[in-house]
Amino acid sequence: MSYMAGTYFEVALLGVGAVLTGKFTSVSGLDMEVEYEIYNEGGLNYPRFFFKQNKPQVLVLEQGVVTSVDSVSLLMQMCNLGMSIPLAGTVILKDSFGESQRVWNIVGAYLQKYVGPTLNSNQASLAVSRIELIYNGCC
């Protein structure tokens, strides 16, 4: 894959009463990992593999701070009230013209961690927040 300047990730994850949407500068954890059980039968020289389960992955979204109503804070409030809401949707890589280049589908993602930005008025750096969601892999 060649490097594309000005790209960003558009994320839209929806759940019952919860929405997580935005444009993110960095997305990682678009992985899928499967665990197998090895089974050996008597008299056979090769093992047989059986699907056991998907291994949970961590989807990490990083973006600049938003100044309007933040869907992440609403989702955090729901988690603080004990509501565990599965999110499903897409992560879309877009080029500098806003055209879709690649799409990943996410199902059954749960908010695991939110790290707020480090704010320092003496530095001219972008404040970045980090959102971590646990899920069973993308497709």
Side-chain angles (χ1 to χ4, degrees), residues 31-91:
D31 304 325
M32 178 95 180
E33 190 173 346
V34 177
E35 185 177 344
Y36 289 95
E37 186 173 330
I38 300 172
Y39 176 74
N40 289 312
E41 291 181 342
L44 294 177
N45 294 330
Y46 58 91
R48 297 178 70 192
F49 297 94
F50 294 95
F51 175 75
K52 189 172 181 181
Q53 66 184 15
N54 285 345
K55 288 188 175 183
Q57 303 296 313
V58 178
L59 179 65
V60 179
L61 310 172
E62 293 181 340
Q63 73 171 12
V65 175
V66 289
T67 56
S68 62
V69 175
D70 190 2
S71 60
V72 178
S73 63
L74 296 173
L75 192 57
M76 286 297 299
Q77 287 176 356
M78 295 175 91
C79 288
N80 287 335
L81 294 172
M83 293 184 246
S84 181
I85 300 165
L87 301 173
T90 58
V91 175

Side-chain angles (χ1 to χ4, degrees), residues 4-30:
M4 296 185 294
T7 60
Y8 62 94
F9 294 92
E10 190 170 276
V11 177
L13 299 174
L14 309 172
V16 178
V19 176
L20 176 61
T21 59
K23 295 177 181 174
F24 295 84
T25 56
S26 174
V27 173
S28 63
L30 292 169

Side-chain angles (χ1 to χ4, degrees), residues 114-129:
Y114 172 75
V115 179
T118 301
L119 303 173
N120 186 344
S121 62
N122 294 323
Q123 293 182 351
S125 60
L126 176 68
V128 174
S129 58

